[in-house]
Amino acid sequence: MAMEIDSAEYQLRCQLTGHEDDVRGICVCDNAGFATSSRDRTIRFWSSDESNKRSYTTSKILLGHTSFVGPLSWVAPSEELPEGGLVSGGMDTLILVWNLATGEKIQTLKGHKLQVTGIALDGSDVVSTSIDWYVTFLTFY
């Protein structure tokens, strides 16, 4: 049985633009904001707009993947990453670890032969999946 949704009850809050190709992933980053990944090879970190709390602006653009970026996972703040971080996977077979305070790539993890399709964190272990049929467990910092 399909659920009917009355669209009159919902209103578009904001629409974010900036990526130059289709968006492939999204990740909520605690209260700091959220990140999106795209076929344009970038990750954008979005923070609440100071002038309009119901909207967001790009506060960082993370560059490092050589092909489209897909799955993202939030790294909670720690001694090594006081503002938290991100882990991203891409078509380039790489898993990159990012420092959100600086927007810099801090680690490159290799373990797949083909596109990374999923990422999850278990403490400092990155669990990843790929179209190469493997699930990898890689440790960062």
Side-chain angles (χ1 to χ4, degrees):
M1 181 159 122
M3 183 175 139
E4 287 189 33
I5 298 175
D6 183 1
S7 61
E9 293 181 32
Y10 301 95
Q11 179 178 341
L12 179 65
R13 179 172 151 184
C14 63
Q15 190 168 2
L16 308 177
T17 59
H19 282 295
E20 296 175 7
D21 212 332
D22 61 309
V23 177
R24 308 291 294 179
I26 189 166
C27 174
V28 174
C29 302
D30 203 23
N31 294 325
F34 64 95
T36 55
S37 62
S38 171
R39 195 179 293 268
D40 67 8
R41 300 186 317 259
T42 69
I43 299 164
R44 288 182 178 260
F45 184 76
W46 306 84
S47 300
S48 181
D49 186 336
E50 293 300 320
S51 64
N52 177 2
K53 294 293 184 185
R54 295 191 53 79
S55 187
Y56 293 86
T57 58
T58 299
S59 59
K60 290 184 177 68
I61 299 174
L62 310 179
L63 303 170
H65 281 283
T66 59
S67 188
F68 78 73
V69 189
L72 299 169
S73 190
W74 164 245
V75 179
S78 65
E79 190 174 312
E80 294 86 1
L81 299 168
E83 292 184 33
L86 284 171
V87 178
S88 61
M91 177 83 171
D92 57 10
T93 75
L94 301 177
I95 297 168
L96 303 180
V97 182
W98 304 89
N99 181 335
L100 274 184
T102 64
E104 295 178 353
K105 174 180 65 171
I106 58 172
Q107 200 165 5
T108 300
L109 305 173
K110 298 178 182 180
H112 290 290
K113 295 179 181 171
L114 296 172
Q115 172 187 342
V116 179
T117 57
I119 291 179
L121 293 181
D122 182 16
S124 61
D125 287 335
V126 176
V127 183
S128 61
T129 59
S130 168
I131 61 174
D132 64 12
W133 301 2
Y134 292 102
V135 176
T136 64
F137 289 78
L138 303 165
T139 302
F140 68 97
Y141 71 81

